[in-house]
Amino acid sequence: MTEPYKSLGPWSLADFRQVKDWRKIEYHLHYSFRGCLSESIDQQKELFHVPVQDVTKLLNEIDPEQIINKPKIDRMFQDENFLAYITNLFVFSGLMNWLNIQGAWTFVLFPSTSGGRYFTINIGPHEVAFSTLGRKGIPQKNMILVDRLIFDFGKVINWIMKHNGTIEVDQYATALPRSTSIIFEGSFDDVNEFLGLDGVRRALIAYWNEALIGMKERNVMSVYAKYHNWNAIAQIHYKIGNTL
């Protein structure tokens, strides 16, 4: 960020869209808010006094043809169970508090992973959550990466075993120490039940937050940043904001 904007910070991300023709959309936004242009700051033509909700309303009115990856987002919103789980996971994990470093963490919808997945979340170079697409005779599998302190909670371990689960410590070479990968079979209702078990949130946040803090301190991006679905996050963020 350059002057005069840089010295006016700190800045935070309130809403966003990833579009095909950003110049066209930027022109439309600037034209729409031309009456709100800030005239008290020299050498700038892009600062406006506008409530966030007004900006969000206009962003929601962008031509759907301009929205990148819209079919995948529509598919997510059409699957109520999937959407309910993803919304819960983002609230549960506090990941929405890290909007400003998107790209250091990534969310990919329906990636072309072998076997098929609903989604993958990565922090840095490795995945921290995913769910596979269940197929005929093959149950859905769900993975969540947490801190090793999960072993302090016997009921959680028993629950995982009852759902044909596995637990592997330090599975990823690029992960932080104490990383613990949990994989189990079950529906999104089952995953939400798992998240509600005593100790799961503590173990998840212990790992995810440390990893996110490290990415922010090093100011580095994930190798999967180019696959990040910005518009899906924008819609999830909007849904959470209008639900809580």
Side-chain angles (χ1 to χ4, degrees):
M1 183 177 293
T2 59
E3 297 296 353
Y5 309 105
K6 184 177 181 179
S7 59
L8 297 172
W11 297 88
S12 62
L13 194 61
D15 205 342
F16 47 91
R17 297 294 184 276
Q18 187 180 24
V19 295
K20 297 174 183 177
D21 187 345
W22 66 267
R23 290 183 177 86
K24 178 180 179 180
I25 302 303
E26 181 184 59
Y27 174 82
H28 174 64
L29 292 172
H30 286 186
Y31 184 80
S32 299
F33 294 126
R34 62 192 182 281
C36 304
L37 179 67
S38 174
E39 299 179 349
S40 61
I41 301 171
D42 295 332
Q43 299 180 338
Q44 67 79 28
K45 297 180 180 180
E46 296 182 315
L47 292 178
F48 302 84
H49 293 290
V50 185
V52 172
Q53 57 267 30
D54 291 353
V55 179
T56 295
K57 182 177 184 297
L58 202 58
L59 290 175
N60 285 338
E61 294 172 355
I62 291 174
D63 180 358
E65 292 298 320
Q66 283 287 335
I67 301 297
I68 293 175
N69 287 324
K70 188 175 186 300
K72 290 186 176 182
I73 299 169
D74 290 343
R75 182 179 173 186
M76 176 180 68
F77 272 79
Q78 289 163 3
D79 189 329
E80 294 183 1
N81 291 331
F82 176 31
L83 181 61
Y85 166 55
I86 284 297
T87 303
N88 184 33
L89 179 61
F90 273 87
V91 172
F92 180 87
S93 65
L95 199 51
M96 282 302 179
N97 295 321
W98 298 90
L99 288 178
N100 288 345
I101 63 166
Q102 290 179 79
W105 63 270
T106 61
F107 176 68
V108 184
L109 271 175
F110 306 105
S112 56
T113 307
S114 177
R117 289 183 179 180
Y118 282 96
F119 76 97
T120 301
I121 296 176
N122 288 277
I123 298 178
H126 64 84
E127 54 201 15
V128 295
F130 67 74
S131 289
T132 65
L133 293 168
R135 301 183 183 279
K136 187 175 181 180
I138 303 176
Q140 175 179 323
K141 291 188 177 181
N142 310 281
M143 189 281 275
I144 296 182
L145 196 74
V146 299
D147 183 85
R148 195 182 301 175
L149 68 84
I150 198 69
F151 288 108
D152 292 346
F153 301 91
K155 289 184 178 180
V156 175
I157 305 304
N158 290 337
W159 190 97
I160 295 168
M161 295 300 104
K162 289 179 180 178
H163 289 76
N164 295 323
T166 60
I167 306 173
E168 295 190 36
V169 177
D170 296 330
Q171 178 182 9
Y172 299 99
T174 55
L176 298 176
R178 298 177 56 88
S179 67
T180 304
S181 176
I182 297 171
I183 299 179
F184 57 87
E185 297 177 359
S187 66
F188 290 123
D189 287 339
D190 293 321
V191 193
N192 281 325
E193 179 183 330
F194 172 75
L195 295 181
L197 298 175
D198 184 40
V200 172
R201 187 176 193 181
R202 193 180 310 174
L204 183 150
I205 289 178
Y207 186 87
W208 288 31
N209 272 15
E210 183 176 358
L212 288 163
I213 290 170
M215 295 295 290
K216 183 177 181 180
E217 289 177 342
R218 296 192 302 276
N219 192 29
V220 293
M221 302 291 278
S222 169
V223 295
Y224 302 103
K226 65 180 179 180
Y227 304 111
H228 179 58
N229 196 318
W230 288 82
N231 291 319
I233 298 302
Q235 292 302 313
I236 294 169
H237 181 245
Y238 180 76
K239 177 176 174 57
I240 291 172
N242 286 274
T243 301
L244 298 180

